Amino acid sequence: MIPELGHFALILVFVLAFSLGVVPMVGAARGYTTWMRSAFSLAAGVAVFAFVAFGSLVYAFVTDDFSVRYTANNSNSLLPIYYKVAAVWGAHEGSFLLWILISSIWTLAVAAFSRHLPLAMISRVLAVLGWLIAGFAAFSLFTSNPFERALPMAPSEGADLNPLLQDFGLTVHPPILYTGYVGFSVAFAFAVAALLTGRLDAAWARWSRPWTNVAWSFLSVGIALGSWWAYYELGWGGWWFWDPVENASFMPWLMGTALVHSLAVTEKRGTFKSWTVLLALAAFSLSLLGAFIVRSGVLTSVHAFAVDPKRGMFILAFLGVVVGGSLTLYAVRVPLIRSRVHFGGLSREVLLLLNNVVLVVALAAVLTGTLTPLAYEAFTGGGKISVGPPYFNTVFIPLMVVLAIALGIGPTARWKRTGVRFLIERLGAVFAASVVIGVALPLAIAGAFKWQVAAGTALALWVVATHLQDAWLQAGRRAAGLARLSAGYIGMTLAHLGFAITLLGIVVTSHTSLERDVRLAQGGSAQLGAITFTLTAIDRVRGPNFLAEQASVRVDGDGAPYVLFPQKRHYVAGGQVMTEAAIAPGVTRDVYVAMGEPMDDGAWTMRLHYKPLVRWVWVGALFMASGGVLAITDVRYRRLRVRREAAAAVESNA
Amino acid sequence: MHPVRRKRLIAVVFLLAGVGVTVLLVLRALNQNINLFYPPSQVVSGEAPVGPRIRAGGMVKAGSLRRANDSIEVRFVVTDMQGADFTVVYAGILPDLFREGKGVLATGHLKPDGVFVADEVLAKHDENYMPPELKGMQKSS
């Protein structure tokens, strides 16, 4: 009964979202106030029924209702309760329902927090979001209905969730990543609404900026969580493979990063308008492209799960409508936009333009590398190729060097025009110090010179030092002044420091990590750098729904000796085998042991890793995300609201 | 020429030059890092080049997995189930989902004696997933 209720609620989501897409839009075109106002209640209705639909599916999982086909395929009565809940989005149908739920929550949030916007604008924004939800709901209903029953032959036990997914990572990574993905639909909706009304000004940028920041922050955390999850779960010790599924989330992030910066220029200086709109349209289009890549399975991926080409075609068609429609609108409307603001040869605008160009070029390079196998297959009639990580590293790293250098100049540079001499006076010493310390510091710590590490350290120091210097000067050279810096400024600084942290983590862990696959007999040991690993025992242990062989590996030479317990798990329900790596995490380094296979003589193959600063990669992303969120608490967004509300009150009184 | 226009022209020329150089570098990098995929029949017939990094894959032949006694090296035979077989040597840990009789995708290089030395081995990721390269073979098997 409950699954039918959920199915019915999903149908209502579709119907209400469709009305949300039509009624306020027509109302805005004709000037019918009541029609426009209906957007708020329709948005609320969509959200309520999305909750009911999602809740029904959660209920089916928690109560082990295996007559629902999706539940039977992805859950099992032996699963711990928290994995039963997470299993709801463990495969395609449920994850799409989660996508719909998150999309409707975003829409509800826009409806709730944007009442101060002009009615013609906000009703159009909500209507565009309504179209998108209607599209997603139709997709879910027609191609991947999670409520489909497997009656009358209902299995008595579920097939179990893929063991790789039975992890804390599944509970948090997809919801946060989706929140980021879908969040760009708000920026998209604002852009389309602005094109429709012809109101593309600084106010538009100010309205969409907080939404974009939040979406971007969620996406940053989502990607970092995914990377961290793959690192400890796949058992390879890698945290980024330039895999199509990873690129699928990284491409909207690159575009979103460009958008966040471009919006800053549009808001502050009223320029870059048409470019910003284009970025907003592109960021969400890339989110959809990502969904297509992940769901269609057209590309070989180490992360691909339960894919289906037919569903891919639907997303591709939807993507075509969204991209084609929005670009057509853009082409028709953009000639109306004019910027009257000029800026000089070297200025903050130019540096932000450089930021945008670099990020978009980086995006284009990642896109090229990701889609080349598809293009090759189409042109050669079925020939298969893959593009390896060296390609991505070759094109990506030089671009990031340019970005980091420009980033150091950014906060010091002034709007309109900045003198070169002023920049040299202000930053020359910092630059020299960064280079010297960047070379000396890794040499002092590691005792070996690697130019990549030196360059990476110097760049990270350069970004950190220039930002701290600027913050100190902005604060009037007093500690008390730091507390008075605006939230927007602190957010920016935090995010940029995060970039430096991630940069340093990536460079150091990529160039100084040690890795060895070894064969360890009981009592035998292996050496990795200064560390000795000794296999002291192999035991059999029992988990809630698996049996495992657990190794005890003593680690000497990494501070006080300790023991790691990697496992090789055999899941009872599905018979799958899975490696559970054991990690000694740390600020300066991770020590990582994963079990391979047993040999005939009782020895085991093991994978040993020593990874300096690997956690910095993810910690930096958390800094970036918190910076993005902090920036939206800036008083200027609140002040604006108060002023608007006052104006609205005057209007309604008149 | 009007100074503003000239400034714009210079900016456009720089931009085009920058984009052009980037595109060239990207294409060069792409050209050097594309790994072509070869099914067992092409590896056996000699169509697959000896030396450069390529991808090859198929089904792991049942009963063909051999482990060295003193190292972590493994050997197995990859087949297309239609008579074309080749041997893969891999010094590393096989993925959890590696099974005899199931699909496998190896990246590495082919030696003149027809042995494929892999530096990376991908297996099916879950029961329902098949790398697109191997789809045709699964159906025919």
Side-chain angles (χ1 to χ4, degrees), chain A residues 162 297 300-302 304 361 372 376 384-386 388 390-391 517-519 568 577-579 596-597 599 606-607, chain B residues 22 26 29-30 33-37 55 67-69 71-72 92-94 96 99 105 122 125-126 129 132-133:
Chain A
N162 184 327
T300 308
S301 161
V302 299
V361 170
T372 298
Y376 185 85
K384 311 274 191 195
I385 55 163
S386 65
Y391 159 76
D517 290 354
V518 296
R519 180 189 180 104
K568 198 70 165 185
V577 178
M578 217 199 72
T579 308
E597 302 132 273
M599 299 284 125
M606 299 248 176
R607 182 164 289 171
Chain B
T22 317
V26 165
L30 199 56
N33 292 295
I34 280 178
N35 309 315
L36 287 145
F37 172 79
R55 255 183 186 193
R67 296 177 199 280
N69 286 326
S71 72
I72 55 169
I93 292 174
L94 292 168
D96 286 334
R99 291 273 183 292
L105 197 58
L122 280 178
H125 207 51
D126 77 357
Y129 176 65
E133 282 90 337

Side-chain angles (χ1 to χ4, degrees), chain A residues 457-469:
Chain A
T457 314
L459 284 172
L461 282 171
W462 161 247
V463 172
V464 172
T466 48
H467 279 78
L468 294 184
Q469 183 197 29

Side-chain angles (χ1 to χ4, degrees), chain A residues 326-649:
Chain A
S326 58
L327 283 185
T328 308
L329 182 66
Y330 180 80
V332 173
R333 286 300 188 137
V334 135
L336 306 177
I337 304 171
R338 291 205 145 264
S339 293
R340 269 170 232 87
V341 190
H342 295 280
F343 47 88
L346 185 59
S347 61
R348 193 180 277 195
E349 286 94 325
V350 169
L351 284 166
L352 282 164
L353 184 64
L354 183 66
N355 153 301
N356 270 233
V357 170
V358 169
L359 286 170
V360 170
V361 170
L363 163 86
V366 175
L367 188 68
T368 310
T370 309
L371 296 184
T372 298
L374 273 187
Y376 185 85
E377 192 180 343
F379 285 123
T380 59
K384 311 274 191 195
I385 55 163
S386 65
V387 177
Y391 159 76
F392 292 100
N393 291 335
T394 312
V395 294
F396 205 74
I397 292 168
L399 289 167
M400 288 306 109
V401 171
V402 175
L403 195 64
I405 292 171
L407 176 55
I409 310 172
T412 305
R414 299 285 171 254
W415 295 110
K416 286 185 192 171
R417 180 174 278 281
T418 311
V420 176
R421 178 175 295 184
F422 164 75
L423 285 178
I424 292 174
E425 274 170 16
R426 180 70 72 80
L427 301 174
V430 178
F431 184 78
S434 301
V435 172
V436 171
I437 301 175
V439 172
L441 193 65
L443 205 58
I445 295 174
F449 181 78
K450 279 207 162 124
W451 68 267
Q452 299 97 331
V453 176
T457 314
L459 284 172
L461 282 171
W462 161 247
V463 172
V464 172
T466 48
H467 279 78
L468 294 184
Q469 183 197 29
D470 192 65
W472 181 245
L473 294 174
Q474 295 277 339
R477 299 172 194 269
R478 282 177 302 115
L482 288 172
R484 277 198 292 277
L485 293 172
S486 74
Y489 181 83
I490 297 173
M492 174 200 80
T493 308
L494 213 53
H496 288 169
L497 294 181
F499 176 81
I501 292 170
T502 298
L503 176 85
L504 189 65
I506 289 174
V507 171
V508 170
T509 198
S510 301
H511 290 283
T512 64
S513 283
L514 303 172
E515 178 191 343
R516 243 183 109 188
D517 290 354
V518 296
R519 180 189 180 104
L520 280 181
Q522 292 238 9
S525 57
Q527 197 76 21
L528 183 70
I531 301 176
T532 311
F533 297 82
T534 312
L535 176 62
T536 54
I538 299 276
D539 302 303
R540 292 187 169 274
V541 294
R542 175 182 280 274
N545 54 349
F546 62 85
L547 299 166
E549 278 145 319
Q550 177 175 292
S552 304
V553 179
R554 200 181 68 233
V555 183
D556 295 289
D558 178 47
Y562 54 88
V563 182
L564 290 173
F565 302 102
Q567 291 182 339
K568 198 70 165 185
R569 293 181 177 172
H570 305 264
Y571 282 81
V572 180
Q576 303 100 324
V577 178
M578 217 199 72
T579 308
E580 185 78 8
I583 303 171
V587 177
T588 54
R589 54 94 199 105
D590 271 20
V591 173
Y592 184 115
V593 179
M595 292 171 85
E597 302 132 273
M599 299 284 125
D600 300 333
D601 57 353
W604 277 79
T605 53
M606 299 248 176
R607 182 164 289 171
L608 312 174
H609 284 281
Y610 177 75
K611 305 189 85 70
L613 302 198
V614 65
R615 290 195 177 243
W616 291 41
V617 177
W618 310 306
V619 170
L622 294 184
F623 267 72
M624 291 186 225
S626 39
V629 172
L630 188 65
I632 71 162
T633 63
D634 200 297
V635 279
R636 75 174 179 281
Y637 298 114
R638 260 177 288 156
R639 247 187 233 143
L640 182 91
R641 182 167 308 153
V642 173
R643 214 177 325 145
R644 292 263 167 190
E645 269 158 17

Side-chain angles (χ1 to χ4, degrees), chain B residues 98-112:
Chain B
F98 181 91
R99 291 273 183 292
E100 292 185 345
K102 301 272 176 159
V104 71
L105 197 58
T107 312
H109 61 274
L110 196 59
K111 289 204 298 188

Side-chain angles (χ1 to χ4, degrees), chain A residues 37-280:
Chain A
R37 282 199 187 283
S38 72
F40 297 102
S41 37
L42 283 169
V46 167
V48 166
F49 287 106
F51 264 109
V52 172
F54 191 78
S56 309
L57 193 58
V58 173
Y59 180 84
F61 269 79
V62 172
T63 57
D64 297 321
D65 185 349
F66 297 128
S67 67
V68 176
R69 191 181 308 259
Y70 180 70
T71 314
N73 287 340
N74 295 287
S75 186
N76 184 285
S77 56
L78 289 178
L79 266 187
I81 178 82
Y82 41 93
Y83 290 152
K84 280 182 186 166
V85 176
V88 171
W89 54 81
H92 169 79
E93 289 87 347
S95 67
F96 221 82
L97 192 60
L98 177 68
W99 177 292
I100 292 169
L101 175 69
I102 290 171
S103 192
S104 58
I105 294 174
W106 273 106
T107 307
L108 184 67
V110 172
F113 295 114
S114 301
R115 296 208 170 238
H116 56 281
L117 262 53
L119 192 59
M121 178 79 188
I122 188 63
S123 56
R124 282 187 168 116
V125 170
L126 291 172
V128 174
L129 289 168
W131 293 344
L132 296 175
I133 297 175
F136 302 147
F139 176 65
S140 187
L141 282 170
F142 297 129
T143 73
S144 43
N145 184 356
F147 299 108
E148 207 175 88
R149 294 273 196 177
L151 293 174
M153 299 285 282
S156 56
E157 183 56 283
D160 205 2
L161 178 66
N162 184 327
L164 275 172
L165 300 177
Q166 293 182 24
D167 185 83
F168 172 71
L170 177 70
T171 8
V172 290
H173 165 63
I176 291 182
L177 188 72
Y178 281 12
T179 308
Y181 262 162
V182 179
F184 284 137
S185 67
V186 178
F188 174 86
F190 268 99
V192 171
L195 285 172
L196 286 172
T197 49
R199 265 198 72 170
L200 268 168
D201 46 20
W204 163 75
R206 199 171 300 138
W207 296 333
S208 42
R209 222 179 147 189
W211 300 105
T212 312
N213 268 7
V214 174
W216 176 85
S217 298
F218 270 103
L219 192 57
S220 308
V221 175
I223 294 173
L225 278 172
S227 160
W228 174 59
W229 185 17
Y231 166 77
Y232 72 74
E233 190 72 18
L234 287 180
W236 301 345
W239 45 270
W240 194 260
F241 304 99
W242 289 111
D243 181 273
V245 166
E246 293 165 4
N247 294 345
S249 65
F250 193 48
M251 290 190 288
W253 186 85
L254 286 170
M255 198 48 114
T257 311
L259 175 62
V260 164
H261 291 88
S262 179
L263 273 172
V265 184
T266 306
E267 187 205 337
K268 294 261 169 107
R269 304 282 307 139
T271 180
F272 286 13
K273 283 180 205 160
S274 39
W275 173 246
T276 307
V277 173
L278 194 59
L279 290 182

